[in-house]
Amino acid sequence: MQDLKVLSPEEIKGLDEPRISPSQNQTDYSKKIYLESYGCQMNFADSEVVTSILMEQGYSTTSNIHEADTILLNTCAIRENAEQKIRHRLQSFKSIKAKNPHVTVGILGCMAERLKTQLLEEEKIVDLVAGPDAYRDLPRLLEEIEDGNKAVNVFLSREETYGNIEPVRLHTNGVTALVSIMRGCNNMCSFCVVPYTRGRERSRDLDSILKECTNLFQSGYREVTLLGQNVDSYHWQNPATNEKVNFAHLLKKVAQLTPELRVRFSTSHPKDITDEVLYTMAAYDNICKNIHLPAQSGNNRILDLMNRTYTREWYLERIQSIRNILGESCGISHDLIAGFCSETEEEHQDSLSLLEEVKYDFGYMFSYSERPGTPAEKKLVDDIPEEIKKRRLQEIIDSQRIHSAYRNQLMIGTVQRVLVEGDSKKSSAHHFGRTDNNKVVVFPKMEEMKGKFVDVKITHCTSGTLLGELIN
């Protein structure tokens, strides 16, 4: 049996994952927007829509906040600390506002939708509040502010998808791009504020999705990630032919555009992901074999309190279907919450045992944060002390780190097809890219290969990164 070596972080100092590059300055126009994005991938995709809308009205972007006429923060409200981060960031703008009283400060996104006019009352520095469905109205709102008024639009739409807007790619490496296929969420999980900040589900029309993906490929992009709060709920009916399109059909149509375009998606809900989707993934080599399947808990009573509408047994059956249809190498990641209302120590152990049984490649792990207005806040008691939440969360993190290392070790000695996304963050002598199952690979750069598919033999790993060598 091959001796498997796992490198320590110290051994690969300088070879870790890259970070997204900042947007490029544009100086064609007089009015400049400085935009920061927080939270999920959907927020980053929305910021690209916002930029497109404003550029049509004569604005340009800048990465220098001191040059900006308007400062916008696209916000997250999923946890309390996410909102506190925004409030602290606003404090840092006071000196800018003191030097330039005419600069506009705006809050976009989920925090804006949740707090509405309350934001204007609590944060005097804020001039504009716009929810996720109000971005087309931003030019008018900015005009109101120029007239000396505060401006608010937090109307939630049942139709808005921004499907006819070509995003301006800000958060990109020129190789991978985000493509929103639907908005909103109908899953009323008791802990989650998203249905109240992003509204009901509505799916974008198929033609605009295919057009955007085609344009991206023609512009040099080689991977798209189809985004939705619950992509498996995607459904659209062609008004001309009455053809009904579900998510499996959409995946197939995007994959068929060209075999040279990789396709990813996020996020799936365990109650909705179907074998039809899994078989579609198996049928096309360019659909990446990686699924993000949030669990949230490994205990049935807690899952019921969370209103997740599935059981541990149902979840594990879905995991088994993924393994059976897509193979053991398919990457699977999760979300898990520690310390939900009334969670006992035994129920926490059920979450740890779920981690042990599945052995995920990666996970997003959090301690429970009560959100105002959610069913959990109204009906349940946030009764787990913070020190216990933190301890349980750390146990979950420690377990996941072990499993991530184990899953990475399995890839040592294999040859992986990697899409090169650019230089490693700390070493221009190394490229980085991702495997089909979404693992980061770092390898010595022989020549500039950004945007190309290459074969890399995996030689070492950490719990978070694969290291390898290029195969000629």
Side-chain angles (χ1 to χ4, degrees):
M1 182 175 179
Q2 183 184 7
D3 182 29
L4 304 181
K5 180 182 180 183
V6 181
L7 297 183
S8 70
E10 290 74 19
E11 289 178 281
I12 62 156
K13 185 178 181 182
L15 306 184
D16 57 347
E17 296 183 44
R19 298 295 183 264
I20 295 173
S21 301
S23 62
Q24 297 295 313
N25 286 0
Q26 301 174 31
T27 57
D28 295 337
Y29 307 106
S30 58
K31 296 177 289 185
K32 294 184 178 181
I33 294 286
Y34 174 86
L35 176 58
E36 290 182 357
S37 302
Y38 297 81
C40 67
Q41 288 179 310
M42 187 66 74
N43 268 13
F44 285 82
D46 278 359
S47 290
E48 296 178 342
V49 169
V50 166
T51 302
S52 179
I53 291 169
L54 291 176
M55 286 185 69
E56 283 292 320
Q57 299 299 315
Y59 287 87
S60 65
T61 63
T62 178
S63 58
N64 184 346
I65 194 171
H66 300 285
E67 293 180 353
D69 301 286
T70 300
I71 299 170
L72 299 176
L73 302 184
N74 195 355
T75 63
C76 175
I78 199 71
R79 285 175 296 280
E80 174 63 24
N81 62 358
E83 293 193 1
Q84 288 305 316
K85 182 183 293 186
I86 298 301
R87 292 186 186 273
H88 291 148
R89 186 65 174 132
L90 287 172
Q91 294 304 307
S92 69
F93 297 162
K94 287 185 175 180
S95 61
I96 297 174
K97 192 87 165 178
K99 292 178 182 178
N100 181 10
H102 298 293
V103 69
T104 296
V105 176
I107 300 295
L108 313 179
C110 292
M111 184 176 175
E113 189 66 45
R114 190 183 79 79
L115 293 175
K116 301 178 174 59
T117 56
Q118 184 180 337
L119 255 177
L120 299 178
E121 299 164 2
E122 296 175 350
E123 304 290 349
K124 303 300 183 183
I125 196 174
V126 174
D127 305 296
L128 178 152
V129 176
D133 291 345
Y135 297 147
R136 291 183 194 269
D137 196 32
L138 281 172
R140 184 191 66 81
L141 296 174
L142 288 169
E143 285 182 5
E144 279 193 26
I145 293 167
E146 289 177 2
D147 293 335
N149 303 310
K150 300 279 187 174
V152 178
N153 186 341
V154 290
F155 174 75
L156 283 178
S157 170
R158 287 183 176 269
E159 291 83 31
E160 182 62 81
T161 65
Y162 301 111
N164 64 337
I165 294 176
E166 186 73 22
V168 174
R169 304 295 168 180
L170 296 175
H171 312 99
T172 180
N173 50 21
V175 179
T176 67
L178 306 173
V179 176
S180 174
I181 66 168
M182 59 188 301
R183 301 181 70 82
C185 184
N186 289 352
N187 298 308
M188 305 300 289
C189 300
S190 65
F191 56 82
C192 187
V193 74
V194 168
Y196 309 101
T197 60
R198 286 192 167 269
R200 306 291 285 177
E201 284 179 358
R202 60 272 192 203
S203 297
R204 182 177 167 187
D205 69 283
L206 173 66
D207 292 341
S208 71
I209 295 171
L210 297 180
K211 179 181 178 182
E212 183 174 341
C213 293
T214 299
N215 290 343
L216 285 166
F217 180 77
Q218 293 174 346
S219 299
Y221 290 83
R222 291 297 176 262
E223 181 179 292
V224 294
T225 299
L226 308 180
L227 288 182
Q229 251 70 44
N230 179 19
V231 291
D232 301 277
S233 291
Y234 178 88
H235 60 277
W236 180 76
Q237 184 168 340
N238 189 321
T241 65
N242 290 325
E243 175 193 13
K244 293 182 179 180
V245 180
N246 63 20
F247 183 58
H249 302 150
L250 172 62
L251 266 181
K252 178 179 178 180
K253 289 178 181 295
V254 176
Q256 288 177 336
L257 290 174
T258 169
E260 297 178 47
L261 181 66
R262 267 188 177 179
V263 185
R264 299 189 187 275
F265 59 88
S266 185
T267 297
S268 292
H269 194 291
K271 73 176 177 59
D272 292 323
I273 190 168
T274 64
D275 284 358
E276 182 185 14
V277 167
L278 301 181
Y279 281 117
T280 302
M281 294 174 68
Y284 292 89
D285 290 340
N286 60 326
I287 300 179
C288 293
K289 309 308 183 279
N290 174 250
I291 296 176
H292 183 61
L293 198 67
Q296 307 301 0
S297 175
N299 175 267
N300 283 339
R301 187 183 75 88
I302 296 298
L303 287 171
D304 185 55
L305 288 178
M306 290 177 167
N307 195 35
R308 291 292 287 173
T309 68
Y310 58 82
T311 63
R312 177 189 176 108
E313 292 73 24
W314 171 277
Y315 183 90
L316 287 172
E317 187 277 329
R318 291 288 79 207
I319 294 291
Q320 191 58 52
S321 288
I322 292 170
R323 298 293 190 211
N324 290 343
I325 296 170
L326 297 175
E328 289 295 324
S329 64
C330 178
I332 304 177
S333 54
H334 69 88
D335 294 344
L336 210 59
I337 296 174
F340 189 70
C341 305
S342 77
E343 182 188 65
T344 67
E345 195 61 34
E346 291 74 20
E347 289 165 341
H348 165 62
Q349 291 298 320
D350 285 342
S351 290
L352 291 176
S353 71
L354 180 72
L355 293 175
E356 183 64 34
E357 186 165 353
V358 177
K359 291 184 171 60
Y360 298 94
D361 295 81
F362 181 75
Y364 295 96
M365 299 148 284
F366 313 98
S367 58
Y368 175 61
S369 173
E370 184 177 80
R371 307 308 294 130
T374 59
E377 187 264 342
K378 294 176 180 177
K379 299 178 181 179
L380 303 174
V381 179
D382 183 11
D383 56 355
I384 307 300
E386 283 301 315
E387 60 270 21
I388 294 180
K389 286 183 183 179
K390 290 180 180 178
R391 189 259 300 165
R392 290 178 183 175
L393 175 60
Q394 190 59 54
E395 290 176 359
I396 289 171
I397 292 171
D398 291 344
S399 177
Q400 181 55 56
R401 186 175 289 116
I402 292 170
H403 297 144
S404 294
Y406 166 75
R407 292 286 295 172
N408 281 355
Q409 287 172 16
L410 295 177
M411 301 189 71
I412 293 176
T414 66
V415 175
Q416 296 294 319
R417 194 73 168 160
V418 173
L419 175 58
V420 181
E421 297 183 29
D423 289 351
S424 177
K425 181 186 177 185
K426 295 182 180 179
S427 172
S428 60
H430 291 76
H431 268 323
F432 93 98
R434 293 179 188 272
T435 63
D436 178 84
N437 59 1
N438 204 33
K439 294 183 183 292
V440 173
V441 181
V442 174
F443 59 94
K445 177 167 56 172
M446 302 301 180
E447 59 184 77
E448 183 54 55
M449 292 172 283
K450 182 177 178 180
K452 296 181 179 179
F453 291 96
V454 297
D455 292 326
V456 178
K457 183 176 181 179
I458 307 305
T459 56
H460 306 89
C461 73
T462 68
S463 62
T465 307
L466 301 176
L467 302 176
E469 54 190 30
L470 196 64
I471 302 296
N472 294 327

